[in-house]
Amino acid sequence: MAQEIKDNDERDDAVVENNRREVERAASQGPDEISDREIEARAKRALDGDREQGIRRSAARDHDDRKYHDRGDRNGGGSNRALIGLGLGLATAGAAAFFFAKSREDDIGDGPLLSDAPDHVLRGKALQKARNTEPGTALVGRTVTVNKPKQELYAVWRDFTRFPEFMDNVRQITKIDEQRSEWLIEAPAGATVQVRTRIVEDEPGNTIAWVSEPDSQIETAGRVEFADAPPGRGTYVRLVMRYTPPAGTLGRMVAKVMQREPQVQARRDLNRFKSLMETGEIATNASPSGRKSESPTEARV
Amino acid sequence: MRALTWHGRHDVRVDTVPDPEIVNPRDAIIKVTSTAICGSDLHLYDAYIPTLRAGDVLGHEFMGEVVEVGSKSTLKKGQRVVVPFTISCGQCFFCEKQQFSACDNSNPAETSDASEALMGHSMGAAFGYAHLTGGYAGGQAEYVRVPYSDVGPLVVPDGLEDDQVLFLSDILPTGYQGAFNADIEPGDTVAVWGCGPVGLFAIQSAFLLGAHRVIAIDHYPNRLKLAKEKGADILDYREVNVLDALKEMTGGIGPDAVIDCVGMESHGMAIDNVVDTVKAHTFLGTDRPHALRQMIIACRKGGKVSIPGVYGGFVDKFPIGALMEKGLQVKSGQTHMQRWMKPLLEHIQKGEIDTTWFISHHAPLEQAAEMYRHWHDEQNTYTKIVLKPEMAKSAQSTPSAARVIEPA
Ligand SMILES: NC(=O)c1ccc[n+]([C@@H]2O[C@H](COP(=O)([O-])OP(=O)(O)OC[C@H]3O[C@@H](n4cnc5c(N)ncnc54)[C@H](O)[C@@H]3O)[C@@H](O)[C@H]2O)c1
Ligand SMILES: [Zn+2]
Ligand SMILES: [Zn+2]
């Protein structure tokens, strides 16, 4: 599996070597099928000469790794099978690179941002240029399409007391007045934490934004935006949240829950909101299994 | 209740597990009367699909009687229904486009992360098929909880036997969509790799959709014979060079459309396949696409490639050059079940599709583990197995009267 493969030069080396050995072992084993010999021969012909060099060069470029040049030269004159082994190795390494490569910090210059994308997908230096970023806050966001008109979605979200239906860690929300709510949030080991929020922006059908009040145990700010999707497709719902690393032990504990994977949290909460709005219920895989610890009425992950 | 549970590679057992319960308003509980073992179950049995957990209930081809309904189900107790293997809400963007297997709501928020990370988007859910696709318990059991029961299950009209309609749950629509995705035009020769149940339905469907000729490829004599019985010309790949044969049989042009009814565990000792096997077992690669590579080389220029066979991860040495230079069209996917079930039921009622001639065995659910072994090891004689929870536990599995296959 791709996860097993670390983006690591030594390991890549091992993969290439290993594949080459596998191919050779395989070759000494069984009766080949003629048609496949042919495919193989075609592959060799296709890989011969300039193209062979080209493929190796481009692979090397992709990995930004001089060693592929060297290895290529070492194996280039060898058997067809070694060549295929090399190809397999590169492909495997390619998959690993695709998933695990650290993005290069490209120099983007000092000008204004060019991309028409929301702040929460900015990376590297661009992130530092994000509009509205405050130092020390983590920004996460996620957008889903919900197949309902935005007014309807806005109305449900505006009623904060419904959050526990689709937000994982929120146990209960009590309305204090039109702008303020008291959140009861679940923390590890059965503890709970209270947060009081105030709505700071409310544009019916379009936007709701809230921030925690100064005396809350954790500091958080959220914003949900509703925008028309292309005709007939409902609404783009975007949830953006900011967390500030909190003070105090309990605060830190809660933050751990809420921030462990804030991106995942936002994604799951939004998916559940979408599911509820579109289907009237939230999908659950609650069903029987042979595992003693599980109940057929509880979701399992 | 009793249910077939997975415990590891080549280890499945019939266990006692809790009964399912209604959880959501649109749910229904089905008492299973017939459930089949599928080629897709083999991928689980061989542990080729990640995220399956010990204790998971397998099975995605099933039908039965409605015994309980949630407040928003449109089904009624006592109705006989066949249940599609994919779980679809009917109301998201994809369901409205009739791309039901891409449903955005059925895979719960907690289990959809894995496939989103792996494939870029979360997959729709299915019964009895790993946590990647939702982790819902399957139908090789006495009872099943069926979500979205107002849009999934198809009520079976009176007068049709279980065997006639059971395969509306998966392989008939899958074979049909496989042929449909080949965009068959008059005069087309369609080549079908794999004469398992999916391939056999793809062959029948290709003719229904106007194919001039179908050429079927496999290496099991009995499966090839079943294909021939439905009008296909056949190739045993142990006897011929498949690429040469297809070219010669199509006047040098090659088949107009090719359909992959093999999937990720292609057989054969061809070198690429042996390498893929080693890699899959050492987790360097995941799938063994030998047949698919061959299909792409075989397909005529400007031809059509349809892939109902299941793949789950990554492949190497994919002939992307041939694909591009020949200008091939590729269509694929899990089957959009709800789109095909009703029209295919009509074909069955009119006698235009034979759904029973390839069933080789009926057996009690209690013998499911043994049946998995046969299904895996003896594909020549076990061409489709139907499990019956009600069948007496002591009863021997019977080669079905309809189909006693002579030795080849
Ligand atoms: N897309 C979907 O929604 C969907 C649904 C059901 C099944 N499937 C998939 O369809 C595939 C077939 O299902 P099935 O139930 O018929 O499985 P099966 O295992 O019964 O049949 C596969 C057949 O392919 C043959 N085969 C293997 N290697 C071959 C090769 N190199 N060339 C030609 N034939 C070869 C085998 O001998 C076997 O007869 C599986 O991958 C299954 O997972 C997909
Ligand atoms: Zn199936
Ligand atoms: Zn849907």
Side-chain angles (χ1 to χ4, degrees):
Chain A
M1 243 176 301
Q3 283 91 326
E4 303 273 328
I5 300 159
K6 299 279 142 25
D7 180 30
N8 158 323
D9 288 342
E10 276 168 37
R11 183 64 202 265
D12 285 354
D13 262 357
V15 167
V16 173
E17 271 305 306
N18 202 16
N19 279 322
R20 201 163 50 81
R21 261 183 270 122
E22 271 165 30
V23 177
E24 281 166 1
R25 201 182 326 137
S28 64
Q29 262 180 8
D32 290 1
E33 196 179 292
I34 304 162
S35 58
D36 292 276
R37 279 228 190 88
E38 260 183 26
I39 293 179
E40 207 184 300
R42 278 171 220 200
K44 176 171 165 45
R45 253 174 271 136
L47 284 170
D48 272 335
D50 288 328
R51 285 179 75 183
E52 179 182 324
Q53 289 298 328
I55 287 168
R56 254 191 260 120
R57 257 200 307 278
S58 68
R61 213 172 31 241
D62 286 345
H63 293 274
D64 205 12
D65 178 357
R66 263 204 55 76
K67 279 197 298 187
Y68 284 96
H69 283 294
D70 304 335
R71 194 178 301 118
D73 293 342
R74 201 165 66 229
N75 292 329
S79 74
N80 174 26
R81 292 192 174 105
L83 187 61
I84 291 173
L86 174 68
L88 295 174
L90 287 178
T92 314
F98 177 73
F99 276 91
F100 297 104
K102 284 177 226 76
S103 57
R104 252 185 317 241
E105 290 246 336
D106 293 313
D107 190 0
I108 53 164
D110 295 327
L113 294 173
L114 299 174
S115 307
D116 292 319
D119 282 357
H120 58 269
V121 299
L122 295 173
R123 62 192 183 102
K125 275 192 183 165
L127 185 58
Q128 292 155 20
K129 292 191 187 180
R131 303 152 280 255
N132 317 317
T133 311
E134 294 152 31
T137 61
L139 176 71
V140 302
R142 169 84 169 183
T143 310
V144 296
T145 305
V146 183
N147 199 2
K148 292 280 175 191
K150 61 182 191 174
Q151 197 61 44
E152 191 178 323
L153 301 177
Y154 164 86
V156 172
W157 200 289
R158 183 64 180 78
D159 179 3
F160 280 31
T161 62
R162 294 194 64 173
F163 286 0
E165 288 178 54
F166 56 90
M167 286 188 183
D168 222 8
N169 297 320
V170 180
R171 186 185 294 176
Q172 196 194 328
I173 291 200
T174 315
K175 183 172 163 181
I176 303 169
D177 57 36
E178 274 313 308
Q179 312 306 327
R180 291 180 306 156
S181 317
E182 184 86 34
W183 303 42
L184 189 63
I185 296 173
E186 285 171 17
T192 55
V193 154
Q194 297 202 340
V195 180
R196 187 171 289 194
T197 62
R198 184 168 45 84
I199 290 179
V200 290
E201 194 181 335
D202 184 5
E203 197 189 323
N206 293 318
T207 310
I208 309 169
W210 59 94
V211 296
S212 52
E213 302 226 287
D215 58 344
S216 292
Q217 282 167 301
I218 54 170
E219 232 181 292
T220 175
R223 178 187 182 85
V224 63
E225 293 168 11
F226 306 91
D228 285 329
R233 294 192 182 198
T235 305
Y236 290 159
V237 181
R238 173 170 298 157
L239 176 62
V240 180
M241 298 208 261
R242 271 174 219 286
Y243 298 92
T244 309
T249 325
L250 188 56
R252 239 192 299 279
M253 233 158 70
V254 174
K256 225 171 162 183
V257 174
M258 295 192 63
Q259 293 190 6
R260 192 178 34 198
E261 299 270 15
Q263 189 70 44
V264 172
Q265 194 67 50
R267 174 160 85 217
R268 291 181 178 178
D269 288 351
L270 264 191
N271 281 3
R272 277 184 285 260
F273 176 69
K274 168 184 165 69
S275 183
L276 182 65
M277 297 315 298
E278 289 184 342
T279 72
E281 58 187 45
I282 292 170
T284 170
N285 58 13
S287 48
S289 83
R291 294 179 288 274
K292 295 279 178 295
S293 57
E294 289 180 359
S295 142
T297 55
E298 274 167 30
R300 44 212 171 81
V301 183
Chain B
M1 66 166 181
R2 303 291 282 167
L4 188 280
T5 56
W6 184 90
H7 291 270
R9 186 159 180 265
H10 297 170
D11 181 5
V12 293
R13 306 169 203 164
V14 179
D15 281 341
T16 299
V17 304
D19 287 350
E21 292 178 35
I22 299 278
V23 185
N24 271 340
R26 292 168 64 185
D27 292 353
I29 306 287
I30 309 295
K31 180 175 194 283
V32 176
T33 53
S34 294
T35 174
I37 311 180
C38 177
S40 297
D41 293 326
L42 282 184
H43 305 321
L44 302 173
Y45 191 63
D46 288 336
Y48 263 66
I49 305 273
T51 74
L52 201 61
R53 292 169 57 200
D56 280 343
V57 178
L58 301 191
H60 58 268
E61 303 183 352
F62 61 96
M63 62 178 296
E65 184 194 328
V66 179
V67 291
E68 239 182 288
V69 290
S71 59
K72 288 196 182 144
S73 173
T74 49
L75 295 175
K76 292 179 186 61
K77 282 188 201 177
Q79 276 178 328
R80 224 172 124 230
V81 292
V82 49
V83 180
F85 78 101
T86 49
I87 305 175
S88 309
C89 79
Q91 284 151 315
C92 67
F93 169 72
F94 299 97
C95 286
E96 286 195 348
K97 278 185 90 71
Q98 298 215 304
Q99 295 177 329
F100 293 100
S101 69
C103 177
D104 235 353
N105 286 317
S106 55
N107 197 341
E110 300 79 20
T111 49
S112 55
D113 294 340
S115 53
E116 178 160 349
L118 195 65
M119 302 179 190
H121 294 92
S122 70
M123 295 166 68
F127 290 100
Y129 218 77
H131 291 251
L132 211 54
T133 47
Y136 289 87
Q140 286 159 5
E142 290 180 279
Y143 298 92
V144 190
R145 170 185 163 238
V146 177
Y148 309 128
S149 65
D150 50 332
V151 292
L154 179 71
V155 177
V156 178
D158 291 338
L160 290 166
E161 298 291 324
D162 272 20
D163 282 358
Q164 285 177 281
V165 291
L166 172 60
F167 303 132
L168 284 169
S169 61
D170 177 357
I171 50 175
L172 171 53
T174 295
Y176 189 86
Q177 182 175 299
F180 184 86
N181 280 347
D183 289 350
I184 296 167
E185 294 165 73
D188 273 5
T189 295
V190 179
V192 176
W193 270 255
C195 298
V198 171
L200 293 172
F201 279 130
I203 292 165
Q204 287 194 66
S205 305
F207 281 124
L208 264 180
L209 291 165
H212 176 73
R213 181 188 197 183
V214 177
I215 304 175
I217 302 140
D218 205 303
H219 62 121
Y220 290 123
N222 280 328
R223 291 183 172 219
L224 286 166
K225 271 171 73 183
L226 292 170
K228 193 155 194 90
E229 283 168 17
K230 291 301 161 203
D233 293 334
I234 55 178
L235 293 176
D236 183 337
Y237 70 67
R238 299 170 307 174
E239 293 175 355
V240 296
N241 176 324
V242 172
L243 293 178
D244 286 349
L246 288 172
K247 229 174 179 177
E248 286 307 303
M249 292 162 85
T250 53
I253 285 181
D256 303 277
V258 296
I259 308 179
D260 178 352
C261 300
V262 174
M264 58 164 79
E265 292 184 71
S266 187
H267 303 163
M269 286 299 287
I271 180 160
D272 64 329
N273 201 27
V274 176
V275 175
D276 288 335
T277 306
V278 175
K279 286 162 59 106
H281 286 295
T282 52
F283 293 104
L284 289 174
T286 57
D287 299 359
R288 285 159 42 196
H290 164 60
L292 180 58
R293 291 187 186 113
Q294 194 173 56
M295 286 170 48
I296 289 171
I297 303 295
C299 190
R300 79 151 158 86
K301 289 179 280 186
K304 298 153 286 191
V305 180
S306 164
I307 313 176
V310 165
Y311 294 86
F314 298 88
V315 302
D316 290 328
K317 253 197 341 146
F318 186 78
I320 184 69
L323 185 79
M324 187 277 158
E325 300 292 350
K326 293 202 285 182
L328 305 185
Q329 154 195 307
V330 181
K331 291 191 180 179
S332 187
Q334 297 285 351
T335 308
H336 304 307
M337 295 297 297
Q338 289 83 346
R339 176 169 177 193
W340 309 115
M341 289 171 78
K342 268 207 198 94
L344 287 170
L345 175 67
E346 284 166 24
H347 280 302
I348 293 172
Q349 287 175 302
K350 287 189 209 145
E352 290 163 351
I353 292 184
D354 186 350
T355 48
T356 59
W357 96 109
F358 66 100
I359 301 174
S360 59
H361 293 78
H362 291 91
L365 175 65
E366 283 300 317
Q367 288 176 13
E370 202 182 318
M371 288 298 130
Y372 262 81
R373 213 161 42 242
H374 291 305
W375 178 236
H376 182 266
D377 296 341
E378 298 161 59
Q379 291 215 320
N380 189 42
T381 34
Y382 285 73
T383 53
K384 191 71 184 179
I385 300 167
V386 177
L387 302 168
K388 313 278 283 184
E390 296 275 81
M391 209 162 147
K393 289 179 187 170
S394 57
Q396 286 301 305
S397 81
T398 44
S400 308
R403 176 93 229 137
V404 181
I405 304 170
E406 316 122 40

PDB file of all heavy atoms in Angstrom, chain A residues 278-279, chain B residues 88-96 100 102-106, ligand 3:
ATOM      1  N   GLU A 278     -30.313  17.216   3.090  1.00  0.00           N
ATOM      2  CA  GLU A 278     -30.747  16.604   1.835  1.00  0.00           C
ATOM      3  C   GLU A 278     -31.653  15.397   2.041  1.00  0.00           C
ATOM      4  O   GLU A 278     -32.573  15.157   1.265  1.00  0.00           O
ATOM      5  CB  GLU A 278     -29.523  16.170   1.003  1.00  0.00           C
ATOM      6  CG  GLU A 278     -28.765  17.350   0.422  1.00  0.00           C
ATOM      7  CD  GLU A 278     -27.598  16.954  -0.476  1.00  0.00           C
ATOM      8  OE1 GLU A 278     -27.139  15.794  -0.412  1.00  0.00           O
ATOM      9  OE2 GLU A 278     -27.138  17.807  -1.240  1.00  0.00           O
ATOM     10  N   THR A 279     -31.372  14.614   3.079  1.00  0.00           N
ATOM     11  CA  THR A 279     -32.080  13.334   3.213  1.00  0.00           C
ATOM     12  C   THR A 279     -32.974  13.263   4.442  1.00  0.00           C
ATOM     13  O   THR A 279     -33.691  12.286   4.619  1.00  0.00           O
ATOM     14  CB  THR A 279     -31.093  12.149   3.299  1.00  0.00           C
ATOM     15  OG1 THR A 279     -30.438  12.176   4.584  1.00  0.00           O
ATOM     16  CG2 THR A 279     -30.025  12.237   2.213  1.00  0.00           C
TER      17      THR A 279
ATOM     18  N   SER B  88     -27.816   4.312  -1.740  1.00  0.00           N
ATOM     19  CA  SER B  88     -27.926   5.635  -2.336  1.00  0.00           C
ATOM     20  C   SER B  88     -29.103   6.396  -1.747  1.00  0.00           C
ATOM     21  O   SER B  88     -30.178   5.829  -1.555  1.00  0.00           O
ATOM     22  CB  SER B  88     -28.129   5.510  -3.851  1.00  0.00           C
ATOM     23  OG  SER B  88     -27.157   4.659  -4.406  1.00  0.00           O
ATOM     24  N   CYS B  89     -28.878   7.694  -1.492  1.00  0.00           N
ATOM     25  CA  CYS B  89     -29.899   8.478  -0.789  1.00  0.00           C
ATOM     26  C   CYS B  89     -31.045   8.920  -1.687  1.00  0.00           C
ATOM     27  O   CYS B  89     -32.137   9.188  -1.226  1.00  0.00           O
ATOM     28  CB  CYS B  89     -29.247   9.693  -0.125  1.00  0.00           C
ATOM     29  SG  CYS B  89     -28.904  11.070  -1.266  1.00  0.00           S
ATOM     30  N   GLY B  90     -30.747   9.055  -2.993  1.00  0.00           N
ATOM     31  CA  GLY B  90     -31.794   9.481  -3.922  1.00  0.00           C
ATOM     32  C   GLY B  90     -31.965  10.983  -4.006  1.00  0.00           C
ATOM     33  O   GLY B  90     -32.737  11.480  -4.835  1.00  0.00           O
ATOM     34  N   GLN B  91     -31.247  11.755  -3.171  1.00  0.00           N
ATOM     35  CA  GLN B  91     -31.525  13.189  -3.132  1.00  0.00           C
ATOM     36  C   GLN B  91     -30.318  14.100  -3.334  1.00  0.00           C
ATOM     37  O   GLN B  91     -30.475  15.310  -3.452  1.00  0.00           O
ATOM     38  CB  GLN B  91     -32.184  13.536  -1.798  1.00  0.00           C
ATOM     39  CG  GLN B  91     -33.628  13.103  -1.778  1.00  0.00           C
ATOM     40  CD  GLN B  91     -34.109  12.762  -0.392  1.00  0.00           C
ATOM     41  OE1 GLN B  91     -33.428  12.070   0.365  1.00  0.00           O
ATOM     42  NE2 GLN B  91     -35.290  13.232  -0.050  1.00  0.00           N
ATOM     43  N   CYS B  92     -29.125  13.523  -3.381  1.00  0.00           N
ATOM     44  CA  CYS B  92     -27.951  14.384  -3.569  1.00  0.00           C
ATOM     45  C   CYS B  92     -27.767  14.682  -5.059  1.00  0.00           C
ATOM     46  O   CYS B  92     -28.488  14.158  -5.910  1.00  0.00           O
ATOM     47  CB  CYS B  92     -26.708  13.714  -2.989  1.00  0.00           C
ATOM     48  SG  CYS B  92     -26.198  12.226  -3.858  1.00  0.00           S
ATOM     49  N   PHE B  93     -26.803  15.513  -5.372  1.00  0.00           N
ATOM     50  CA  PHE B  93     -26.487  15.877  -6.750  1.00  0.00           C
ATOM     51  C   PHE B  93     -26.297  14.638  -7.632  1.00  0.00           C
ATOM     52  O   PHE B  93     -26.841  14.535  -8.730  1.00  0.00           O
ATOM     53  CB  PHE B  93     -25.214  16.738  -6.743  1.00  0.00           C
ATOM     54  CG  PHE B  93     -24.603  16.983  -8.085  1.00  0.00           C
ATOM     55  CD1 PHE B  93     -25.210  17.841  -8.990  1.00  0.00           C
ATOM     56  CD2 PHE B  93     -23.415  16.365  -8.442  1.00  0.00           C
ATOM     57  CE1 PHE B  93     -24.635  18.080 -10.235  1.00  0.00           C
ATOM     58  CE2 PHE B  93     -22.830  16.599  -9.676  1.00  0.00           C
ATOM     59  CZ  PHE B  93     -23.441  17.450 -10.579  1.00  0.00           C
ATOM     60  N   PHE B  94     -25.542  13.664  -7.116  1.00  0.00           N
ATOM     61  CA  PHE B  94     -25.213  12.482  -7.913  1.00  0.00           C
ATOM     62  C   PHE B  94     -26.438  11.596  -8.125  1.00  0.00           C
ATOM     63  O   PHE B  94     -26.683  11.121  -9.232  1.00  0.00           O
ATOM     64  CB  PHE B  94     -24.082  11.695  -7.247  1.00  0.00           C
ATOM     65  CG  PHE B  94     -22.829  12.519  -7.124  1.00  0.00           C
ATOM     66  CD1 PHE B  94     -22.522  13.177  -5.940  1.00  0.00           C
ATOM     67  CD2 PHE B  94     -21.987  12.679  -8.210  1.00  0.00           C
ATOM     68  CE1 PHE B  94     -21.394  13.959  -5.842  1.00  0.00           C
ATOM     69  CE2 PHE B  94     -20.853  13.466  -8.119  1.00  0.00           C
ATOM     70  CZ  PHE B  94     -20.554  14.115  -6.930  1.00  0.00           C
ATOM     71  N   CYS B  95     -27.199  11.376  -7.068  1.00  0.00           N
ATOM     72  CA  CYS B  95     -28.396  10.550  -7.209  1.00  0.00           C
ATOM     73  C   CYS B  95     -29.369  11.187  -8.197  1.00  0.00           C
ATOM     74  O   CYS B  95     -29.984  10.508  -9.008  1.00  0.00           O
ATOM     75  CB  CYS B  95     -29.058  10.338  -5.855  1.00  0.00           C
ATOM     76  SG  CYS B  95     -28.165   9.194  -4.791  1.00  0.00           S
ATOM     77  N   GLU B  96     -29.480  12.519  -8.144  1.00  0.00           N
ATOM     78  CA  GLU B  96     -30.390  13.187  -9.076  1.00  0.00           C
ATOM     79  C   GLU B  96     -29.908  13.067 -10.516  1.00  0.00           C
ATOM     80  O   GLU B  96     -30.695  13.095 -11.451  1.00  0.00           O
ATOM     81  CB  GLU B  96     -30.593  14.657  -8.674  1.00  0.00           C
ATOM     82  CG  GLU B  96     -31.493  14.770  -7.457  1.00  0.00           C
ATOM     83  CD  GLU B  96     -32.017  16.178  -7.219  1.00  0.00           C
ATOM     84  OE1 GLU B  96     -31.514  17.123  -7.859  1.00  0.00           O
ATOM     85  OE2 GLU B  96     -32.926  16.310  -6.382  1.00  0.00           O
ATOM     86  N   PHE B 100     -26.009   6.890  -9.183  1.00  0.00           N
ATOM     87  CA  PHE B 100     -26.361   6.480  -7.815  1.00  0.00           C
ATOM     88  C   PHE B 100     -25.174   5.964  -7.005  1.00  0.00           C
ATOM     89  O   PHE B 100     -25.099   6.188  -5.806  1.00  0.00           O
ATOM     90  CB  PHE B 100     -27.462   5.424  -7.849  1.00  0.00           C
ATOM     91  CG  PHE B 100     -28.777   5.946  -8.348  1.00  0.00           C
ATOM     92  CD1 PHE B 100     -29.188   5.718  -9.652  1.00  0.00           C
ATOM     93  CD2 PHE B 100     -29.608   6.678  -7.510  1.00  0.00           C
ATOM     94  CE1 PHE B 100     -30.401   6.196 -10.117  1.00  0.00           C
ATOM     95  CE2 PHE B 100     -30.837   7.160  -7.959  1.00  0.00           C
ATOM     96  CZ  PHE B 100     -31.228   6.919  -9.272  1.00  0.00           C
ATOM     97  N   ALA B 102     -22.326   6.943  -6.904  1.00  0.00           N
ATOM     98  CA  ALA B 102     -21.476   8.044  -6.449  1.00  0.00           C
ATOM     99  C   ALA B 102     -22.144   8.826  -5.317  1.00  0.00           C
ATOM    100  O   ALA B 102     -21.651   9.888  -4.930  1.00  0.00           O
ATOM    101  CB  ALA B 102     -21.154   8.970  -7.610  1.00  0.00           C
ATOM    102  N   CYS B 103     -23.242   8.316  -4.786  1.00  0.00           N
ATOM    103  CA  CYS B 103     -24.002   9.037  -3.760  1.00  0.00           C
ATOM    104  C   CYS B 103     -23.077   9.680  -2.719  1.00  0.00           C
ATOM    105  O   CYS B 103     -22.144   9.071  -2.227  1.00  0.00           O
ATOM    106  CB  CYS B 103     -24.969   8.090  -3.058  1.00  0.00           C
ATOM    107  SG  CYS B 103     -25.885   8.898  -1.722  1.00  0.00           S
ATOM    108  N   ASP B 104     -23.391  10.923  -2.394  1.00  0.00           N
ATOM    109  CA  ASP B 104     -22.535  11.693  -1.496  1.00  0.00           C
ATOM    110  C   ASP B 104     -22.952  11.586  -0.032  1.00  0.00           C
ATOM    111  O   ASP B 104     -22.272  12.102   0.839  1.00  0.00           O
ATOM    112  CB  ASP B 104     -22.587  13.173  -1.903  1.00  0.00           C
ATOM    113  CG  ASP B 104     -21.207  13.735  -2.176  1.00  0.00           C
ATOM    114  OD1 ASP B 104     -20.219  13.025  -1.922  1.00  0.00           O
ATOM    115  OD2 ASP B 104     -21.129  14.885  -2.642  1.00  0.00           O
ATOM    116  N   ASN B 105     -24.074  10.945   0.228  1.00  0.00           N
ATOM    117  CA  ASN B 105     -24.565  10.907   1.611  1.00  0.00           C
ATOM    118  C   ASN B 105     -24.494   9.540   2.274  1.00  0.00           C
ATOM    119  O   ASN B 105     -24.492   9.452   3.500  1.00  0.00           O
ATOM    120  CB  ASN B 105     -26.022  11.398   1.669  1.00  0.00           C
ATOM    121  CG  ASN B 105     -26.111  12.900   1.491  1.00  0.00           C
ATOM    122  OD1 ASN B 105     -25.321  13.648   2.070  1.00  0.00           O
ATOM    123  ND2 ASN B 105     -27.051  13.358   0.669  1.00  0.00           N
ATOM    124  N   SER B 106     -24.447   8.474   1.486  1.00  0.00           N
ATOM    125  CA  SER B 106     -24.599   7.146   2.098  1.00  0.00           C
ATOM    126  C   SER B 106     -23.377   6.721   2.907  1.00  0.00           C
ATOM    127  O   SER B 106     -23.498   6.009   3.892  1.00  0.00           O
ATOM    128  CB  SER B 106     -24.906   6.107   1.018  1.00  0.00           C
ATOM    129  OG  SER B 106     -23.922   6.126   0.009  1.00  0.00           O
TER     130      SER B 106
HETATM  131 ZN    ZN C   3     -27.235  10.347  -2.970  1.00  0.00          ZN
END
